Structure formats: C-alpha cells, structure tokens
Amino acid sequence: MDYMKDNKEISAEEAVILWQASRLSLSKSYEKAPEILKVHGSVIGTLGNFSASIGKAKSKKTFNVSAIVAAALKNGTVLRYVAELPEDKRKILYVDTEQSPYHCLKVMKRILRMAGLPDDRDNENLEFLALRKYTPEQRIRIAEQAIYNTPNIALVIIDGIRDMVYDINSPGESTRIISKLMQWTDDRQIHIHTILHQNKGDENARGHIGTELNNKAETVLLVEKDKNNGDISKVSAMHIRAMDFEPFAFRINDNALPELMEGYKPEAKKPGRPEEEKFDPYRHITEQQHRIALEAVFGLKEEYGYKELENALIKSYTSIGVKLNHQKAVPLITMLRNKRMIVQENGRKYTFMPDFHY
C-alpha cells in the first residue's frame, strides 16, 4: 500500500511562491496563538497546535479526554481542565477509531453528563464519528473532510491515532500523519488532541508515531494508574512547552464518571535515575514477536544446546527490536519452556513447538 501517494511533488515555481510566503519579517506583526485549554493556569492547548494523551492500557485515557471535551463543551472547568473557546469557534469533533458505535455512544453520553448537558439528544456543538470499520487511509480522508467542512470548529479529538497508520514503526507513515495534524491545525486554526498507548516496558509513546508526537506536540499528557491504588488515575505533563502543572488525579465514581481526587499528593520521585521495571518476557514481548524470533532461530537449525540457543535468541530478538542480553535471556528461555514454546525432551537439545498457545 503506497501510503505516500498524495504527497505530490511541487514545481520550482510553486516552491518559489511558498518560499516567499513563508518568510518572516520584523516589519510585520504575528498574532499569538489563542489559548483554549489550561490546567492550573498552565497552557496545554492553543489553536493552531496539537497535543496528546498517552498511557498504558486501562489507565483511563478516554475518561481523561472525556473531561477535556466536557470542559470545552461547557466552556468552563471539568476536573482540572479549564476551557476558553472563542465564541465563534465552539464546535468539537470527536473521532474514535477503536470502539464500536455502541461504546462510542457511551462515551458521548458521558461527555454530555460531565458537561451538565442533556444526554438524551444531540448537542449542536459536539459531533462524534465512529470510524472503527474503515481502513487507515479512509479514516484520514473522512476526518479531513469533517475538519475542513465543519463550521466554527475549535477542538478535534482523535481517539486512536495509531489506527490512522498501518505500521506504527514506519517513519514514512508516521511523518505523514503528523504532517497532516500540523496542516489541519494550521489551515483551520484548531486544536487537535490525540490518544496513543505507551510501550509495555517503558514510559515512551508507542512506535515511531509516538516519537514523532513527542517531538512535535505542544503538550503530551501522561495518564497512569496510581502505584498504591489502581482505582486512581494520575495525570501529569510528560512534555509541555508552557509552565509545568501540578499533577492531579481522578477516580471513577458510582455514576461511571471521572471524579477529581481533592488533595491528591503524588508519590515523590526518588532521587537519581528511575528504577528500571523488572524484565518480564511475557508482558514485555508480544506473541507475534516471539513467533517471528523463534521461527527465525529454528529455521536455521532444528535443535540447540542451551548456550547455543541463548546466543541465537539474543541475536534473533534483537533483530526485531527487542533488546536482549545474557541476563534477560535466562528468564526468556524459562518462560519459553514453561509455555511449551520450546521443549527439551529427556535432557536432549531444545526444539521449537510452532503450535504453541500463548
């Protein structure tokens, strides 16, 4: 699939025109980007820019973004989010790429309830798109048409930007979709907020697209479960161009709505480098990665002795982006044996079981 097909070359004449139009001059004045989203007085969202929320699975990222949308919808405060949308730009577009229409409707109703608005009828300032059934390029086209043809639009949520690319580790696809965000926000003078998962093994946003988001977004919010209470989700700024804000937390109340945890004090970070999470080959490596690496190893030989297997696994897993050393190879081999992905019958050499159940 040629994902760069709409990136047309421009002529020399067109490039000259764009060059001249892009030149800055001290004799001209340029407007400061309107600030529409804040936390504790810190700006997290301006028109003409984009931001992101990242977090691991089940960290309540969508609940957190629901609060942002509710604040924008009421043009007021929800949790710690304060929205100040211009009167002539009050429309919000929510694009969901992951959930079914049924679950999208639940999110839509939640937003309206959080904003103090009726949840039994449509609101003229909120448009919700459920794009789960479409391909990545179709999702981009649909979102683009909605962005350019919705009057008075100010805020766009893309819940699941990962689903606007085929390969999150593709530099070409990642650059293309991030360029789209920059184009859309600049052309329409809107703010776009996206949601992306974190890697399982660290705090980085997932894939090459996550790297691009970190580099280009004006704010990246981190949503994570409190280490001492899994029912509480903490929100902090992982990256922010403006002044940093004090982290806050929320829980889900009996009405299935996010509720601010007043007086929440995040656990103080220990001095020095953060402790590295203990390596878990089951949690930190996907089934697909295991299968690719094992098929590569046992495609060369049918059986291995322990040391020979260890060296082959390190080389194979590293080739697919999983950094291994001899210390990590030991629990990996133990896990592979326990899951009967590899077997050692009667003290003989190790062989591969391709029909394993993960």
Side-chain angles (χ1 to χ4, degrees):
M1 182 68 64
D2 183 5
Y3 214 71
M4 304 292 287
K5 61 185 177 183
D6 65 343
N7 286 3
K8 299 177 181 177
E9 290 287 337
I10 60 174
S11 66
E13 292 77 10
E14 290 172 321
V16 169
I17 294 171
L18 295 176
W19 161 42
Q20 295 295 335
S22 301
R23 296 173 68 184
L24 294 182
S25 172
L26 291 173
S27 64
K28 297 180 181 179
S29 60
Y30 302 93
E31 290 186 9
K32 180 182 177 182
E35 301 167 351
I36 65 166
L37 292 171
K38 297 179 181 179
V39 174
H40 286 307
S42 297
V43 178
I44 64 168
T46 60
L47 296 181
N49 282 296
F50 68 91
S51 57
S53 286
I54 67 170
K56 291 184 167 57
K58 308 302 181 184
S59 61
K60 305 291 191 297
K61 296 185 294 296
T62 299
F63 279 90
N64 179 65
V65 170
S66 295
I68 294 175
V69 178
L73 200 55
K74 67 184 289 188
N75 226 15
T77 302
V78 176
L79 295 183
R80 290 290 188 216
Y81 296 110
V82 179
E84 299 173 354
L85 274 60
E87 283 304 314
D88 61 344
K89 291 177 78 73
R90 294 295 305 277
K91 192 85 173 188
I92 302 161
L93 174 66
Y94 196 118
V95 179
D96 189 290
T97 65
E98 297 180 341
Q99 301 188 94
S100 67
Y102 171 80
H103 287 98
C104 286
L105 190 64
K106 291 180 68 174
V107 175
M108 191 176 183
K109 285 177 173 286
R110 179 201 305 149
I111 291 168
L112 291 168
R113 291 202 303 273
M114 293 174 69
L117 297 169
D119 67 351
D120 59 350
R121 58 181 180 270
D122 292 333
N123 185 283
E124 63 178 0
N125 286 327
L126 177 62
E127 181 172 347
F128 207 113
L129 303 181
L131 304 185
R132 179 181 180 178
K133 67 180 180 180
Y134 300 105
T135 64
E137 62 262 62
Q138 287 173 333
R139 294 182 186 118
I140 290 175
R141 297 301 185 206
I142 294 167
E144 188 166 62
Q145 289 302 312
I147 288 169
Y148 280 89
N149 292 288
T150 300
N152 307 321
I153 190 170
L155 176 64
V156 176
I157 304 296
I158 300 179
D159 192 345
I161 194 171
R162 180 264 172 273
D163 296 311
M164 287 189 166
V165 298
Y166 285 95
D167 180 3
I168 59 173
N169 289 311
S170 165
E173 286 191 83
S174 300
T175 299
R176 178 179 184 265
I177 190 59
I178 297 301
S179 296
K180 281 289 186 185
L181 297 185
M182 292 191 289
Q183 177 190 350
W184 295 341
T185 52
D186 190 69
D187 284 352
R188 295 289 283 145
Q189 281 303 293
I190 59 176
H191 187 83
I192 295 178
H193 188 85
T194 69
I195 302 177
L196 184 66
H197 289 298
Q198 277 180 298
N199 291 328
K200 290 182 179 180
D202 56 41
E203 291 189 347
N204 295 319
R206 188 171 294 176
H208 197 281
I209 191 172
T211 302
E212 286 294 303
L213 271 177
N214 284 338
N215 291 339
K216 302 290 172 46
E218 71 173 331
T219 307
V220 177
L221 301 176
L222 173 61
V223 185
E224 56 186 337
K225 288 186 177 181
D226 183 86
K227 291 180 173 58
N228 299 316
N229 188 339
D231 293 331
I232 296 175
S233 292
K234 182 184 76 170
V235 182
S236 59
M238 174 168 274
H239 302 291
I240 187 168
R241 292 181 189 170
M243 178 181 64
D244 200 358
F245 60 83
E246 182 74 17
F248 66 91
F250 64 88
R251 69 178 184 91
I252 308 305
N253 64 21
D254 294 337
N255 296 318
L257 298 178
E259 180 179 81
L260 185 67
M261 299 292 293
E262 296 285 358
Y264 174 80
K265 294 294 182 184
E267 184 179 344
K269 291 186 177 180
K270 297 179 181 179
R273 297 181 64 180
E275 294 182 8
E276 186 176 348
E277 185 178 0
K278 185 177 179 181
F279 174 66
D280 183 339
Y282 183 72
R283 289 195 304 114
H284 296 159
I285 306 175
T286 67
E287 178 183 357
Q288 184 182 20
Q289 288 174 316
H290 282 303
R291 187 172 293 280
I292 292 171
L294 290 171
E295 287 178 350
V297 168
F298 287 93
L300 298 174
K301 289 180 61 175
E302 290 187 358
E303 56 182 23
Y304 289 83
Y306 185 90
K307 195 64 182 178
E308 190 181 19
L309 175 64
E310 184 180 302
N311 291 330
L313 289 175
I314 291 173
K315 184 176 180 180
S316 183
Y317 276 86
T318 301
S319 71
I320 60 170
V322 179
K323 294 182 180 179
L324 280 185
N325 53 28
H326 291 285
Q327 186 177 3
K328 291 182 177 180
V330 174
L332 170 63
I333 293 174
T334 301
M335 188 277 291
L336 294 176
R337 291 180 62 183
N338 290 341
K339 299 289 291 182
R340 292 193 62 79
M341 298 161 77
I342 61 174
V343 295
Q344 183 187 31
E345 301 290 354
N346 302 320
R348 296 169 56 191
K349 293 186 176 183
Y350 291 90
T351 57
F352 178 41
M353 300 291 286
D355 296 328
F356 65 81
H357 296 286
Y358 197 65

